[in-house]
Amino acid sequence: MPKVGMEPLRKRELIDAAIRTIGQRGSLDVTVAEIAHEAGVSPALAHHYFGGKEQLMLATMRHLLKELGQDLLAALATAQTPAQRVAAIIAVNFSASQFAPQTVAAWLTFYVHAQQSVETRRLLRVYARRMQSNLAFALSSMTDRATALQVAEGTGAMIDGLYIRHALRNGAPEAASAIALVEDYVTTKLAAAGASQ
């Protein structure tokens, strides 16, 4: 009989193993058995907890989104100005937990998977809308609404694009240079619009 309280721990181990396995493989061409082996549990237990590969992949994505959301809330809690809020949103997307090579590979794999999976596409849209909303809210205190929306859209596209760029390079992603590039974009766009910073 399983120990009480082990289910959340085992689920988290399987999700972490899914991120590692997808990251190593660079695709969703992995089996539940491979993920279970990486987590040190039986495939039967993985199927018991998640039902199948698609459900495990969606749980992994939800976990990454939840982790990103929690990190963002913590960062925004310390931001006192709109500019600090924008900087916090950018920095969180390139934090050590989010911008780790295996996590970057997992995110990119989910983007590819969204071409076939309605639920994966829905989760990615939720993520994109959340980022757009958070950025637009902070930016609208510094410029007009139309500019805020345009800069927020461009900022989100740059963040996604830098994930792709860094996935193509060897070695660890360079978070500091990625943050600097995105912040420079925001500063340039706001200056061009005559915004207060």
Side-chain angles (χ1 to χ4, degrees):
M1 174 172 279
K3 293 180 183 175
V4 175
M6 288 302 287
E7 183 174 343
L9 180 64
R10 291 287 185 242
K11 282 184 172 181
R12 176 60 192 264
E13 289 170 350
L14 284 160
I15 286 169
D16 289 344
I19 293 168
R20 288 192 305 274
T21 307
I22 293 166
Q24 291 160 4
R25 186 75 53 89
S27 78
L28 290 181
D29 187 23
V30 296
T31 65
V32 172
E34 289 169 325
I35 294 168
H37 178 74
E38 176 73 21
V41 301
S42 71
L45 188 63
H47 282 286
H48 171 72
Y49 286 147
F50 293 103
K53 180 179 165 181
E54 181 70 13
Q55 290 76 24
L56 177 54
M57 294 301 107
L58 291 171
T60 301
M61 240 187 112
R62 286 187 192 100
H63 168 76
L64 289 171
L65 288 168
K66 182 180 177 185
E67 202 172 62
L68 179 63
Q70 290 170 338
D71 290 350
L72 181 59
L73 285 175
L76 289 176
T78 63
Q80 297 178 358
T81 67
Q84 289 174 350
R85 287 181 67 85
V86 172
I89 295 164
I90 294 167
V92 162
N93 281 278
F94 298 107
S95 67
S97 62
Q98 291 297 321
F99 209 47
Q102 291 176 339
T103 307
V104 169
W107 273 112
L108 295 178
T109 303
F110 289 133
Y111 270 96
V112 172
H113 186 59
Q115 305 300 309
Q116 291 88 36
S117 168
V118 172
E119 185 61 14
T120 301
R121 192 176 317 119
R122 186 190 71 77
L123 288 172
L124 287 171
R125 284 181 177 156
V126 167
Y127 154 74
R129 279 197 301 267
R130 231 180 252 155
M131 184 190 298
Q132 172 82 4
S133 174
N134 283 321
L135 285 166
F137 175 76
L139 289 162
S140 63
S141 297
M142 297 160 37
T143 188
D144 63 90
R145 182 75 177 153
T147 301
L149 289 170
Q150 181 188 43
V151 174
E153 180 72 22
T155 303
M158 278 198 73
I159 290 169
D160 290 343
L162 285 166
Y163 266 67
I164 294 168
R165 283 276 177 95
H166 284 284
L168 298 175
R169 294 183 179 155
N170 291 329
E174 300 169 13
S177 63
I179 291 168
L181 276 170
V182 180
E183 286 183 343
D184 183 61
Y185 166 80
V186 172
T187 300
T188 302
K189 293 298 280 185
L190 290 175
S196 60
Q197 294 183 49

PDB file of all heavy atoms in Angstrom, residues 90-127:
ATOM      1  N   ILE A  90       9.932  40.768 -17.366  1.00  0.00           N
ATOM      2  CA  ILE A  90      10.984  40.319 -18.283  1.00  0.00           C
ATOM      3  C   ILE A  90      11.942  39.378 -17.568  1.00  0.00           C
ATOM      4  O   ILE A  90      12.248  38.285 -18.047  1.00  0.00           O
ATOM      5  CB  ILE A  90      11.744  41.528 -18.874  1.00  0.00           C
ATOM      6  CG1 ILE A  90      10.804  42.343 -19.780  1.00  0.00           C
ATOM      7  CG2 ILE A  90      12.984  41.070 -19.647  1.00  0.00           C
ATOM      8  CD1 ILE A  90      11.341  43.713 -20.161  1.00  0.00           C
ATOM      9  N   ALA A  91      12.413  39.788 -16.395  1.00  0.00           N
ATOM     10  CA  ALA A  91      13.410  38.999 -15.656  1.00  0.00           C
ATOM     11  C   ALA A  91      12.894  37.619 -15.279  1.00  0.00           C
ATOM     12  O   ALA A  91      13.629  36.629 -15.364  1.00  0.00           O
ATOM     13  CB  ALA A  91      13.854  39.759 -14.407  1.00  0.00           C
ATOM     14  N   VAL A  92      11.635  37.521 -14.877  1.00  0.00           N
ATOM     15  CA  VAL A  92      11.076  36.230 -14.467  1.00  0.00           C
ATOM     16  C   VAL A  92      11.096  35.237 -15.620  1.00  0.00           C
ATOM     17  O   VAL A  92      11.370  34.048 -15.433  1.00  0.00           O
ATOM     18  CB  VAL A  92       9.655  36.406 -13.894  1.00  0.00           C
ATOM     19  CG1 VAL A  92       8.886  35.107 -13.878  1.00  0.00           C
ATOM     20  CG2 VAL A  92       9.724  36.998 -12.489  1.00  0.00           C
ATOM     21  N   ASN A  93      10.844  35.713 -16.826  1.00  0.00           N
ATOM     22  CA  ASN A  93      10.855  34.814 -17.978  1.00  0.00           C
ATOM     23  C   ASN A  93      12.239  34.263 -18.293  1.00  0.00           C
ATOM     24  O   ASN A  93      12.365  33.259 -18.984  1.00  0.00           O
ATOM     25  CB  ASN A  93      10.270  35.519 -19.205  1.00  0.00           C
ATOM     26  CG  ASN A  93       8.771  35.539 -19.175  1.00  0.00           C
ATOM     27  OD1 ASN A  93       8.130  34.561 -19.546  1.00  0.00           O
ATOM     28  ND2 ASN A  93       8.187  36.628 -18.694  1.00  0.00           N
ATOM     29  N   PHE A  94      13.272  34.917 -17.774  1.00  0.00           N
ATOM     30  CA  PHE A  94      14.640  34.461 -17.991  1.00  0.00           C
ATOM     31  C   PHE A  94      15.303  34.033 -16.676  1.00  0.00           C
ATOM     32  O   PHE A  94      16.521  33.989 -16.584  1.00  0.00           O
ATOM     33  CB  PHE A  94      15.458  35.552 -18.679  1.00  0.00           C
ATOM     34  CG  PHE A  94      14.934  35.910 -20.042  1.00  0.00           C
ATOM     35  CD1 PHE A  94      14.274  37.107 -20.265  1.00  0.00           C
ATOM     36  CD2 PHE A  94      15.069  35.023 -21.103  1.00  0.00           C
ATOM     37  CE1 PHE A  94      13.775  37.427 -21.512  1.00  0.00           C
ATOM     38  CE2 PHE A  94      14.574  35.335 -22.358  1.00  0.00           C
ATOM     39  CZ  PHE A  94      13.925  36.542 -22.565  1.00  0.00           C
ATOM     40  N   SER A  95      14.481  33.704 -15.687  1.00  0.00           N
ATOM     41  CA  SER A  95      15.024  33.277 -14.393  1.00  0.00           C
ATOM     42  C   SER A  95      15.702  31.916 -14.531  1.00  0.00           C
ATOM     43  O   SER A  95      15.507  31.204 -15.524  1.00  0.00           O
ATOM     44  CB  SER A  95      13.908  33.191 -13.352  1.00  0.00           C
ATOM     45  OG  SER A  95      13.016  32.137 -13.686  1.00  0.00           O
ATOM     46  N   ALA A  96      16.475  31.560 -13.525  1.00  0.00           N
ATOM     47  CA  ALA A  96      17.237  30.306 -13.569  1.00  0.00           C
ATOM     48  C   ALA A  96      16.330  29.096 -13.771  1.00  0.00           C
ATOM     49  O   ALA A  96      16.670  28.170 -14.501  1.00  0.00           O
ATOM     50  CB  ALA A  96      18.055  30.160 -12.299  1.00  0.00           C
ATOM     51  N   SER A  97      15.155  29.099 -13.152  1.00  0.00           N
ATOM     52  CA  SER A  97      14.263  27.934 -13.290  1.00  0.00           C
ATOM     53  C   SER A  97      13.578  27.896 -14.646  1.00  0.00           C
ATOM     54  O   SER A  97      13.377  26.833 -15.228  1.00  0.00           O
ATOM     55  CB  SER A  97      13.210  27.928 -12.176  1.00  0.00           C
ATOM     56  OG  SER A  97      12.390  29.085 -12.261  1.00  0.00           O
ATOM     57  N   GLN A  98      13.230  29.052 -15.198  1.00  0.00           N
ATOM     58  CA  GLN A  98      12.520  29.087 -16.481  1.00  0.00           C
ATOM     59  C   GLN A  98      13.448  28.991 -17.685  1.00  0.00           C
ATOM     60  O   GLN A  98      13.085  28.436 -18.705  1.00  0.00           O
ATOM     61  CB  GLN A  98      11.684  30.372 -16.590  1.00  0.00           C
ATOM     62  CG  GLN A  98      10.515  30.421 -15.657  1.00  0.00           C
ATOM     63  CD  GLN A  98       9.494  29.333 -15.922  1.00  0.00           C
ATOM     64  OE1 GLN A  98       9.199  28.998 -17.065  1.00  0.00           O
ATOM     65  NE2 GLN A  98       8.952  28.767 -14.865  1.00  0.00           N
ATOM     66  N   PHE A  99      14.663  29.545 -17.564  1.00  0.00           N
ATOM     67  CA  PHE A  99      15.550  29.635 -18.718  1.00  0.00           C
ATOM     68  C   PHE A  99      16.642  28.567 -18.688  1.00  0.00           C
ATOM     69  O   PHE A  99      17.656  28.689 -19.353  1.00  0.00           O
ATOM     70  CB  PHE A  99      16.152  31.047 -18.779  1.00  0.00           C
ATOM     71  CG  PHE A  99      16.497  31.513 -20.166  1.00  0.00           C
ATOM     72  CD1 PHE A  99      15.622  31.372 -21.227  1.00  0.00           C
ATOM     73  CD2 PHE A  99      17.710  32.135 -20.407  1.00  0.00           C
ATOM     74  CE1 PHE A  99      15.938  31.821 -22.500  1.00  0.00           C
ATOM     75  CE2 PHE A  99      18.051  32.589 -21.676  1.00  0.00           C
ATOM     76  CZ  PHE A  99      17.158  32.433 -22.726  1.00  0.00           C
ATOM     77  N   ALA A 100      16.405  27.520 -17.920  1.00  0.00           N
ATOM     78  CA  ALA A 100      17.330  26.379 -17.904  1.00  0.00           C
ATOM     79  C   ALA A 100      17.211  25.638 -19.242  1.00  0.00           C
ATOM     80  O   ALA A 100      16.121  25.589 -19.833  1.00  0.00           O
ATOM     81  CB  ALA A 100      16.982  25.445 -16.756  1.00  0.00           C
ATOM     82  N   PRO A 101      18.307  25.072 -19.750  1.00  0.00           N
ATOM     83  CA  PRO A 101      18.271  24.432 -21.073  1.00  0.00           C
ATOM     84  C   PRO A 101      17.144  23.414 -21.252  1.00  0.00           C
ATOM     85  O   PRO A 101      16.470  23.413 -22.286  1.00  0.00           O
ATOM     86  CB  PRO A 101      19.650  23.767 -21.178  1.00  0.00           C
ATOM     87  CG  PRO A 101      20.528  24.598 -20.319  1.00  0.00           C
ATOM     88  CD  PRO A 101      19.658  25.061 -19.169  1.00  0.00           C
ATOM     89  N   GLN A 102      16.920  22.555 -20.260  1.00  0.00           N
ATOM     90  CA  GLN A 102      15.874  21.536 -20.414  1.00  0.00           C
ATOM     91  C   GLN A 102      14.478  22.149 -20.389  1.00  0.00           C
ATOM     92  O   GLN A 102      13.577  21.692 -21.088  1.00  0.00           O
ATOM     93  CB  GLN A 102      16.020  20.473 -19.337  1.00  0.00           C
ATOM     94  CG  GLN A 102      17.264  19.633 -19.546  1.00  0.00           C
ATOM     95  CD  GLN A 102      17.492  18.628 -18.439  1.00  0.00           C
ATOM     96  OE1 GLN A 102      16.983  18.765 -17.328  1.00  0.00           O
ATOM     97  NE2 GLN A 102      18.268  17.596 -18.738  1.00  0.00           N
ATOM     98  N   THR A 103      14.307  23.207 -19.603  1.00  0.00           N
ATOM     99  CA  THR A 103      13.006  23.876 -19.566  1.00  0.00           C
ATOM    100  C   THR A 103      12.746  24.603 -20.873  1.00  0.00           C
ATOM    101  O   THR A 103      11.627  24.576 -21.395  1.00  0.00           O
ATOM    102  CB  THR A 103      12.938  24.846 -18.365  1.00  0.00           C
ATOM    103  OG1 THR A 103      13.284  24.134 -17.174  1.00  0.00           O
ATOM    104  CG2 THR A 103      11.551  25.428 -18.202  1.00  0.00           C
ATOM    105  N   VAL A 104      13.770  25.243 -21.422  1.00  0.00           N
ATOM    106  CA  VAL A 104      13.640  25.902 -22.725  1.00  0.00           C
ATOM    107  C   VAL A 104      13.242  24.873 -23.781  1.00  0.00           C
ATOM    108  O   VAL A 104      12.316  25.096 -24.571  1.00  0.00           O
ATOM    109  CB  VAL A 104      14.954  26.613 -23.126  1.00  0.00           C
ATOM    110  CG1 VAL A 104      14.908  27.068 -24.580  1.00  0.00           C
ATOM    111  CG2 VAL A 104      15.221  27.797 -22.215  1.00  0.00           C
ATOM    112  N   ALA A 105      13.907  23.725 -23.777  1.00  0.00           N
ATOM    113  CA  ALA A 105      13.583  22.662 -24.742  1.00  0.00           C
ATOM    114  C   ALA A 105      12.153  22.175 -24.563  1.00  0.00           C
ATOM    115  O   ALA A 105      11.440  21.936 -25.548  1.00  0.00           O
ATOM    116  CB  ALA A 105      14.563  21.503 -24.600  1.00  0.00           C
ATOM    117  N   ALA A 106      11.715  22.045 -23.317  1.00  0.00           N
ATOM    118  CA  ALA A 106      10.340  21.606 -23.055  1.00  0.00           C
ATOM    119  C   ALA A 106       9.343  22.628 -23.589  1.00  0.00           C
ATOM    120  O   ALA A 106       8.363  22.267 -24.259  1.00  0.00           O
ATOM    121  CB  ALA A 106      10.130  21.370 -21.562  1.00  0.00           C
ATOM    122  N   TRP A 107       9.569  23.922 -23.319  1.00  0.00           N
ATOM    123  CA  TRP A 107       8.666  24.958 -23.820  1.00  0.00           C
ATOM    124  C   TRP A 107       8.574  24.912 -25.344  1.00  0.00           C
ATOM    125  O   TRP A 107       7.478  24.968 -25.909  1.00  0.00           O
ATOM    126  CB  TRP A 107       9.156  26.349 -23.394  1.00  0.00           C
ATOM    127  CG  TRP A 107       8.677  26.787 -22.046  1.00  0.00           C
ATOM    128  CD1 TRP A 107       9.431  26.969 -20.928  1.00  0.00           C
ATOM    129  CD2 TRP A 107       7.337  27.117 -21.666  1.00  0.00           C
ATOM    130  NE1 TRP A 107       8.635  27.380 -19.886  1.00  0.00           N
ATOM    131  CE2 TRP A 107       7.351  27.486 -20.311  1.00  0.00           C
ATOM    132  CE3 TRP A 107       6.121  27.134 -22.353  1.00  0.00           C
ATOM    133  CZ2 TRP A 107       6.208  27.867 -19.623  1.00  0.00           C
ATOM    134  CZ3 TRP A 107       4.977  27.511 -21.657  1.00  0.00           C
ATOM    135  CH2 TRP A 107       5.031  27.872 -20.312  1.00  0.00           C
ATOM    136  N   LEU A 108       9.709  24.821 -26.015  1.00  0.00           N
ATOM    137  CA  LEU A 108       9.698  24.802 -27.473  1.00  0.00           C
ATOM    138  C   LEU A 108       8.987  23.572 -28.017  1.00  0.00           C
ATOM    139  O   LEU A 108       8.267  23.641 -29.018  1.00  0.00           O
ATOM    140  CB  LEU A 108      11.121  24.889 -28.020  1.00  0.00           C
ATOM    141  CG  LEU A 108      11.848  26.206 -27.716  1.00  0.00           C
ATOM    142  CD1 LEU A 108      13.264  26.168 -28.254  1.00  0.00           C
ATOM    143  CD2 LEU A 108      11.092  27.398 -28.278  1.00  0.00           C
ATOM    144  N   THR A 109       9.156  22.458 -27.334  1.00  0.00           N
ATOM    145  CA  THR A 109       8.472  21.229 -27.739  1.00  0.00           C
ATOM    146  C   THR A 109       6.964  21.388 -27.592  1.00  0.00           C
ATOM    147  O   THR A 109       6.197  20.940 -28.446  1.00  0.00           O
ATOM    148  CB  THR A 109       8.989  20.043 -26.904  1.00  0.00           C
ATOM    149  OG1 THR A 109      10.408  19.951 -27.084  1.00  0.00           O
ATOM    150  CG2 THR A 109       8.351  18.744 -27.327  1.00  0.00           C
ATOM    151  N   PHE A 110       6.543  22.065 -26.531  1.00  0.00           N
ATOM    152  CA  PHE A 110       5.105  22.291 -26.343  1.00  0.00           C
ATOM    153  C   PHE A 110       4.547  23.203 -27.437  1.00  0.00           C
ATOM    154  O   PHE A 110       3.420  23.011 -27.889  1.00  0.00           O
ATOM    155  CB  PHE A 110       4.818  22.873 -24.960  1.00  0.00           C
ATOM    156  CG  PHE A 110       5.014  21.883 -23.847  1.00  0.00           C
ATOM    157  CD1 PHE A 110       5.722  22.232 -22.710  1.00  0.00           C
ATOM    158  CD2 PHE A 110       4.508  20.598 -23.926  1.00  0.00           C
ATOM    159  CE1 PHE A 110       5.921  21.319 -21.683  1.00  0.00           C
ATOM    160  CE2 PHE A 110       4.694  19.675 -22.906  1.00  0.00           C
ATOM    161  CZ  PHE A 110       5.398  20.044 -21.773  1.00  0.00           C
ATOM    162  N   TYR A 111       5.327  24.180 -27.868  1.00  0.00           N
ATOM    163  CA  TYR A 111       4.871  25.038 -28.967  1.00  0.00           C
ATOM    164  C   TYR A 111       4.649  24.225 -30.234  1.00  0.00           C
ATOM    165  O   TYR A 111       3.660  24.422 -30.945  1.00  0.00           O
ATOM    166  CB  TYR A 111       5.872  26.169 -29.230  1.00  0.00           C
ATOM    167  CG  TYR A 111       5.595  27.411 -28.419  1.00  0.00           C
ATOM    168  CD1 TYR A 111       6.253  27.644 -27.215  1.00  0.00           C
ATOM    169  CD2 TYR A 111       4.663  28.346 -28.852  1.00  0.00           C
ATOM    170  CE1 TYR A 111       5.990  28.779 -26.461  1.00  0.00           C
ATOM    171  CE2 TYR A 111       4.389  29.476 -28.106  1.00  0.00           C
ATOM    172  CZ  TYR A 111       5.054  29.688 -26.914  1.00  0.00           C
ATOM    173  OH  TYR A 111       4.783  30.803 -26.165  1.00  0.00           O
ATOM    174  N   VAL A 112       5.552  23.304 -30.523  1.00  0.00           N
ATOM    175  CA  VAL A 112       5.385  22.435 -31.691  1.00  0.00           C
ATOM    176  C   VAL A 112       4.162  21.539 -31.502  1.00  0.00           C
ATOM    177  O   VAL A 112       3.351  21.377 -32.415  1.00  0.00           O
ATOM    178  CB  VAL A 112       6.663  21.595 -31.937  1.00  0.00           C
ATOM    179  CG1 VAL A 112       6.432  20.555 -33.012  1.00  0.00           C
ATOM    180  CG2 VAL A 112       7.826  22.509 -32.315  1.00  0.00           C
ATOM    181  N   HIS A 113       4.014  20.990 -30.297  1.00  0.00           N
ATOM    182  CA  HIS A 113       2.902  20.093 -30.002  1.00  0.00           C
ATOM    183  C   HIS A 113       1.549  20.811 -30.118  1.00  0.00           C
ATOM    184  O   HIS A 113       0.533  20.186 -30.435  1.00  0.00           O
ATOM    185  CB  HIS A 113       3.076  19.500 -28.603  1.00  0.00           C
ATOM    186  CG  HIS A 113       2.069  18.461 -28.249  1.00  0.00           C
ATOM    187  ND1 HIS A 113       1.905  17.292 -28.970  1.00  0.00           N
ATOM    188  CD2 HIS A 113       1.157  18.401 -27.242  1.00  0.00           C
ATOM    189  CE1 HIS A 113       0.941  16.568 -28.428  1.00  0.00           C
ATOM    190  NE2 HIS A 113       0.479  17.217 -27.378  1.00  0.00           N
ATOM    191  N   ALA A 114       1.544  22.110 -29.899  1.00  0.00           N
ATOM    192  CA  ALA A 114       0.293  22.876 -29.972  1.00  0.00           C
ATOM    193  C   ALA A 114      -0.317  22.859 -31.365  1.00  0.00           C
ATOM    194  O   ALA A 114      -1.508  23.135 -31.526  1.00  0.00           O
ATOM    195  CB  ALA A 114       0.550  24.319 -29.531  1.00  0.00           C
ATOM    196  N   GLN A 115       0.481  22.506 -32.378  1.00  0.00           N
ATOM    197  CA  GLN A 115      -0.057  22.403 -33.736  1.00  0.00           C
ATOM    198  C   GLN A 115      -1.075  21.268 -33.853  1.00  0.00           C
ATOM    199  O   GLN A 115      -1.963  21.310 -34.686  1.00  0.00           O
ATOM    200  CB  GLN A 115       1.079  22.168 -34.749  1.00  0.00           C
ATOM    201  CG  GLN A 115       2.178  23.198 -34.707  1.00  0.00           C
ATOM    202  CD  GLN A 115       1.671  24.597 -34.985  1.00  0.00           C
ATOM    203  OE1 GLN A 115       0.984  24.825 -35.970  1.00  0.00           O
ATOM    204  NE2 GLN A 115       2.016  25.533 -34.121  1.00  0.00           N
ATOM    205  N   GLN A 116      -0.934  20.230 -32.991  1.00  0.00           N
ATOM    206  CA  GLN A 116      -1.839  19.089 -33.036  1.00  0.00           C
ATOM    207  C   GLN A 116      -2.761  18.987 -31.818  1.00  0.00           C
ATOM    208  O   GLN A 116      -3.747  18.269 -31.851  1.00  0.00           O
ATOM    209  CB  GLN A 116      -1.055  17.765 -33.113  1.00  0.00           C
ATOM    210  CG  GLN A 116      -0.322  17.533 -34.412  1.00  0.00           C
ATOM    211  CD  GLN A 116       1.063  18.129 -34.402  1.00  0.00           C
ATOM    212  OE1 GLN A 116       1.734  18.123 -33.386  1.00  0.00           O
ATOM    213  NE2 GLN A 116       1.495  18.663 -35.530  1.00  0.00           N
ATOM    214  N   SER A 117      -2.412  19.661 -30.730  1.00  0.00           N
ATOM    215  CA  SER A 117      -3.164  19.510 -29.487  1.00  0.00           C
ATOM    216  C   SER A 117      -3.933  20.780 -29.142  1.00  0.00           C
ATOM    217  O   SER A 117      -3.339  21.827 -28.879  1.00  0.00           O
ATOM    218  CB  SER A 117      -2.200  19.163 -28.336  1.00  0.00           C
ATOM    219  OG  SER A 117      -2.851  19.275 -27.090  1.00  0.00           O
ATOM    220  N   VAL A 118      -5.246  20.668 -29.124  1.00  0.00           N
ATOM    221  CA  VAL A 118      -6.104  21.812 -28.803  1.00  0.00           C
ATOM    222  C   VAL A 118      -5.833  22.288 -27.380  1.00  0.00           C
ATOM    223  O   VAL A 118      -5.744  23.490 -27.116  1.00  0.00           O
ATOM    224  CB  VAL A 118      -7.591  21.435 -28.978  1.00  0.00           C
ATOM    225  CG1 VAL A 118      -8.503  22.523 -28.460  1.00  0.00           C
ATOM    226  CG2 VAL A 118      -7.887  21.128 -30.432  1.00  0.00           C
ATOM    227  N   GLU A 119      -5.684  21.356 -26.441  1.00  0.00           N
ATOM    228  CA  GLU A 119      -5.466  21.731 -25.041  1.00  0.00           C
ATOM    229  C   GLU A 119      -4.101  22.396 -24.846  1.00  0.00           C
ATOM    230  O   GLU A 119      -3.983  23.365 -24.103  1.00  0.00           O
ATOM    231  CB  GLU A 119      -5.601  20.510 -24.135  1.00  0.00           C
ATOM    232  CG  GLU A 119      -5.508  20.814 -22.652  1.00  0.00           C
ATOM    233  CD  GLU A 119      -6.591  21.751 -22.120  1.00  0.00           C
ATOM    234  OE1 GLU A 119      -7.596  21.994 -22.814  1.00  0.00           O
ATOM    235  OE2 GLU A 119      -6.430  22.256 -20.994  1.00  0.00           O
ATOM    236  N   THR A 120      -3.083  21.904 -25.525  1.00  0.00           N
ATOM    237  CA  THR A 120      -1.764  22.534 -25.438  1.00  0.00           C
ATOM    238  C   THR A 120      -1.825  23.947 -26.000  1.00  0.00           C
ATOM    239  O   THR A 120      -1.287  24.888 -25.415  1.00  0.00           O
ATOM    240  CB  THR A 120      -0.708  21.705 -26.204  1.00  0.00           C
ATOM    241  OG1 THR A 120      -0.655  20.399 -25.645  1.00  0.00           O
ATOM    242  CG2 THR A 120       0.668  22.344 -26.128  1.00  0.00           C
ATOM    243  N   ARG A 121      -2.510  24.112 -27.119  1.00  0.00           N
ATOM    244  CA  ARG A 121      -2.665  25.439 -27.728  1.00  0.00           C
ATOM    245  C   ARG A 121      -3.412  26.372 -26.778  1.00  0.00           C
ATOM    246  O   ARG A 121      -3.053  27.531 -26.617  1.00  0.00           O
ATOM    247  CB  ARG A 121      -3.423  25.323 -29.056  1.00  0.00           C
ATOM    248  CG  ARG A 121      -3.391  26.591 -29.889  1.00  0.00           C
ATOM    249  CD  ARG A 121      -4.058  26.436 -31.254  1.00  0.00           C
ATOM    250  NE  ARG A 121      -3.715  25.187 -31.894  1.00  0.00           N
ATOM    251  CZ  ARG A 121      -4.604  24.236 -32.235  1.00  0.00           C
ATOM    252  NH1 ARG A 121      -5.893  24.416 -31.987  1.00  0.00           N
ATOM    253  NH2 ARG A 121      -4.215  23.129 -32.806  1.00  0.00           N
ATOM    254  N   ARG A 122      -4.434  25.842 -26.119  1.00  0.00           N
ATOM    255  CA  ARG A 122      -5.202  26.659 -25.171  1.00  0.00           C
ATOM    256  C   ARG A 122      -4.323  27.136 -24.022  1.00  0.00           C
ATOM    257  O   ARG A 122      -4.361  28.308 -23.634  1.00  0.00           O
ATOM    258  CB  ARG A 122      -6.386  25.860 -24.621  1.00  0.00           C
ATOM    259  CG  ARG A 122      -7.330  26.680 -23.746  1.00  0.00           C
ATOM    260  CD  ARG A 122      -8.350  25.821 -23.035  1.00  0.00           C
ATOM    261  NE  ARG A 122      -7.751  25.027 -21.981  1.00  0.00           N
ATOM    262  CZ  ARG A 122      -7.392  25.507 -20.780  1.00  0.00           C
ATOM    263  NH1 ARG A 122      -7.549  26.782 -20.499  1.00  0.00           N
ATOM    264  NH2 ARG A 122      -6.874  24.712 -19.871  1.00  0.00           N
ATOM    265  N   LEU A 123      -3.504  26.237 -23.474  1.00  0.00           N
ATOM    266  CA  LEU A 123      -2.624  26.611 -22.365  1.00  0.00           C
ATOM    267  C   LEU A 123      -1.599  27.661 -22.799  1.00  0.00           C
ATOM    268  O   LEU A 123      -1.306  28.599 -22.052  1.00  0.00           O
ATOM    269  CB  LEU A 123      -1.913  25.374 -21.807  1.00  0.00           C
ATOM    270  CG  LEU A 123      -2.797  24.408 -21.016  1.00  0.00           C
ATOM    271  CD1 LEU A 123      -2.033  23.130 -20.695  1.00  0.00           C
ATOM    272  CD2 LEU A 123      -3.322  25.056 -19.748  1.00  0.00           C
ATOM    273  N   LEU A 124      -1.059  27.521 -23.998  1.00  0.00           N
ATOM    274  CA  LEU A 124      -0.101  28.508 -24.490  1.00  0.00           C
ATOM    275  C   LEU A 124      -0.767  29.857 -24.731  1.00  0.00           C
ATOM    276  O   LEU A 124      -0.153  30.907 -24.506  1.00  0.00           O
ATOM    277  CB  LEU A 124       0.578  28.011 -25.763  1.00  0.00           C
ATOM    278  CG  LEU A 124       1.604  26.895 -25.540  1.00  0.00           C
ATOM    279  CD1 LEU A 124       2.064  26.313 -26.867  1.00  0.00           C
ATOM    280  CD2 LEU A 124       2.793  27.396 -24.738  1.00  0.00           C
ATOM    281  N   ARG A 125      -2.015  29.846 -25.156  1.00  0.00           N
ATOM    282  CA  ARG A 125      -2.748  31.104 -25.339  1.00  0.00           C
ATOM    283  C   ARG A 125      -2.996  31.778 -23.994  1.00  0.00           C
ATOM    284  O   ARG A 125      -2.916  33.005 -23.891  1.00  0.00           O
ATOM    285  CB  ARG A 125      -4.070  30.852 -26.066  1.00  0.00           C
ATOM    286  CG  ARG A 125      -3.882  30.623 -27.540  1.00  0.00           C
ATOM    287  CD  ARG A 125      -5.210  30.414 -28.235  1.00  0.00           C
ATOM    288  NE  ARG A 125      -5.002  30.257 -29.667  1.00  0.00           N
ATOM    289  CZ  ARG A 125      -5.840  29.627 -30.471  1.00  0.00           C
ATOM    290  NH1 ARG A 125      -6.946  29.089 -29.984  1.00  0.00           N
ATOM    291  NH2 ARG A 125      -5.586  29.522 -31.757  1.00  0.00           N
ATOM    292  N   VAL A 126      -3.319  30.996 -22.977  1.00  0.00           N
ATOM    293  CA  VAL A 126      -3.494  31.545 -21.628  1.00  0.00           C
ATOM    294  C   VAL A 126      -2.205  32.229 -21.182  1.00  0.00           C
ATOM    295  O   VAL A 126      -2.218  33.351 -20.677  1.00  0.00           O
ATOM    296  CB  VAL A 126      -3.910  30.441 -20.621  1.00  0.00           C
ATOM    297  CG1 VAL A 126      -3.791  30.918 -19.183  1.00  0.00           C
ATOM    298  CG2 VAL A 126      -5.331  29.965 -20.913  1.00  0.00           C
ATOM    299  N   TYR A 127      -1.080  31.538 -21.382  1.00  0.00           N
ATOM    300  CA  TYR A 127       0.225  32.106 -21.030  1.00  0.00           C
ATOM    301  C   TYR A 127       0.463  33.419 -21.780  1.00  0.00           C
ATOM    302  O   TYR A 127       0.854  34.431 -21.185  1.00  0.00           O
ATOM    303  CB  TYR A 127       1.336  31.086 -21.346  1.00  0.00           C
ATOM    304  CG  TYR A 127       2.678  31.699 -21.634  1.00  0.00           C
ATOM    305  CD1 TYR A 127       3.465  32.230 -20.611  1.00  0.00           C
ATOM    306  CD2 TYR A 127       3.157  31.767 -22.939  1.00  0.00           C
ATOM    307  CE1 TYR A 127       4.697  32.813 -20.895  1.00  0.00           C
ATOM    308  CE2 TYR A 127       4.390  32.340 -23.216  1.00  0.00           C
ATOM    309  CZ  TYR A 127       5.152  32.865 -22.198  1.00  0.00           C
ATOM    310  OH  TYR A 127       6.356  33.437 -22.477  1.00  0.00           O
TER     311      TYR A 127
END
